[in-house]
Amino acid sequence: MSRGSRITGYGTALPERVITNHDLAETLDTSDTWITERTGIKERRIGGSTRSLAIDAGQRALQMSGLPAESLDAIILATTTPDRVIPATASSVQTSLGARCGAFDLNAACSGFVYGLNVAHGLILAGAENVLLIGSETLSRFVDWEDRATAVLFGDGAGAVVISATPAEDNALLSWALDCNGELEKSLYCDFGRFIYMEGREVFRQAVRIMVATCERALASAGLGTTDVNLVVPHQANARIIQSACERLGISEDQTVQVLSWTGNTSSASIPLGLADAAAGGRLRAGDIVLLVGFGAGMTAASALMRWEL
Ligand code: ACO
């Protein structure tokens, strides 16, 4: 490897409108206690478009990196909720940011951001200098607000990172693992014009298993163990999924980032939202080893081990 990549900026965007568990309990047969105990979610943010949230998060990430939009070689928009079928939402984001570069959507459901991180790294190894990776979602548009089994889970939001080329010795992406088991797609899907369908218990069971497996692969590939990891940024779907996966991996829950209590499940936005929250909150120091792990519909899973260098 003659060059490497590292994160040089991050940014987030969340809609202003907050919907609490108590709000949902006014129209659904549910309660704050049930939602909190079963999921860890207390409230979620709703509104905006996938495009508008992506632009806000992308602008903030570029601002932190100190790079102009013209310096981007590619924009990868990880989303499972594009604004239109054609064209890719990334096209609108590209022009609004003032960039002139390749731009495309990537759909790997809630694993999309980590898939995108690996694609960005690959582009940089192939010669790109700067890539903007955004996870942006408006799942509220695909949720049946009369279905208590799914309405309580999801929220809207976006998170972005700028990934820039480095000399090989400064490479910060240490290892990765991508996974997908298409046989499980029937447990979580959304057809055109319909709402999200989910077999919650089955997704929960498979999520823990696939999450642990992908983390173990990334760790083995880097020759590291869980004791080398300073912080885990897992996909934010359910606090109990994170807890179960941590137990099996032998990682303390204190070492995880959890933002889902106030964001809900924001699919491919959840990991950059968690990463940004940890960085802004002083939980990351230069040199720390961070394990990112996503899982979602497909069923997909992805993990990446990286050294934090901001
Ligand atoms: N309020 C009150 N009761 C409820 C609610 C609710 N919002 N939702 C379901 N219930 C009821 C059920 O009807 C059931 O009642 P019953 O026992 O009378 O039949 C009972 O609560 C238990 O239901 P379960 O589905 O077994 O509850 P569980 O503990 O599994 O929690 C949950 C459900 C939160 C959905 C959980 O299964 C889960 O988190 N699954 C994983 C979801 C996930 O990770 N999705 C990620 C992918 S997202 C993506 O890729 C876009």
Side-chain angles (χ1 to χ4, degrees):
M1 187 161 61
S2 60
R3 52 204 261 133
S5 70
R6 72 180 187 96
I7 290 176
T8 52
Y10 60 82
T12 62
L14 287 166
E16 278 178 21
R17 185 173 169 211
V18 177
I19 297 190
T20 66
N21 292 346
H22 295 290
D23 294 333
L24 291 175
E26 283 177 19
T27 54
L28 291 170
D29 181 16
T30 190
S31 66
D32 174 53
T33 308
W34 192 97
I35 303 168
T36 306
E37 285 177 359
R38 299 291 180 115
T39 71
I41 297 166
K42 297 291 286 182
E43 57 190 41
R44 64 287 295 146
R45 269 83 183 137
I46 301 293
S49 62
T50 293
R51 170 185 174 277
S52 65
L53 293 167
I55 292 165
D56 288 350
Q59 260 166 352
R60 288 169 190 149
L62 278 168
Q63 197 173 17
M64 180 182 283
S65 73
L67 292 168
E70 301 83 49
S71 69
L72 293 174
D73 297 300
I75 297 173
I76 305 171
L77 177 59
T79 186
T80 198
T81 53
D83 290 334
R84 293 186 290 185
V85 177
I86 300 172
T89 305
S91 297
S92 314
V93 174
Q94 185 238 36
T95 191
S96 298
L97 289 177
R100 281 289 167 269
C101 62
F104 59 97
D105 288 3
L106 183 160
N107 182 354
C110 308
S111 311
F113 182 81
V114 185
Y115 265 72
L117 196 63
N118 287 301
V119 174
H121 182 69
L123 287 171
I124 283 173
L125 294 192
E129 288 299 323
N130 301 296
V131 178
L132 177 62
L133 169 63
I134 310 170
S136 183
E137 303 281 8
T138 43
L139 284 153
S140 63
R141 294 183 295 135
F142 300 93
V143 165
D144 178 356
W145 289 97
E146 293 178 2
D147 173 18
R148 68 177 183 175
T150 51
V152 303
L153 301 176
F154 299 104
D156 303 334
V161 293
V162 176
I163 302 164
S164 301
T166 64
E169 59 272 23
D170 298 329
N171 177 47
L173 186 72
L174 307 179
S175 70
W176 55 274
L178 301 183
D179 203 355
C180 178
N181 181 352
E183 285 177 14
L184 299 175
E185 67 175 9
K186 58 186 178 301
S187 58
L188 174 52
Y189 59 84
C190 182
D191 285 325
F192 285 111
R194 308 293 291 268
F195 295 122
I196 292 172
Y197 168 83
M198 186 177 72
E199 291 165 14
R201 255 184 243 186
E202 174 66 359
V203 172
F204 190 113
R205 202 170 63 82
Q206 296 292 349
V208 174
R209 193 192 54 73
I210 201 168
M211 208 175 154
V212 171
T214 185
C215 286
E216 285 173 344
R217 279 176 58 203
L219 285 163
S221 169
L224 296 177
T226 48
T227 50
D228 299 307
V229 175
N230 299 99
L231 196 72
V232 183
V233 187
H235 170 48
Q236 310 281 308
N238 186 318
R240 290 189 297 133
I241 292 178
I242 298 173
Q243 188 183 16
S244 299
C246 281
E247 272 169 22
R248 292 187 195 196
L249 285 164
I251 291 176
S252 159
E253 242 193 293
D254 295 344
Q255 281 173 267
T256 66
V257 177
Q258 297 196 33
V259 297
L260 86 170
S261 65
W262 47 277
T263 63
N265 179 347
T266 56
S267 192
S268 59
S270 85
I271 290 178
L273 283 170
L275 191 64
D277 185 73
R283 289 187 72 188
L284 280 170
R285 284 183 304 245
D288 278 358
I289 302 294
V290 187
L291 174 59
L292 309 180
V293 53
F295 61 89
M299 275 191 79
T300 58
S303 59
L305 266 174
M306 56 177 219
R307 201 176 26 246
W308 188 251
E309 294 291 359
L310 253 184

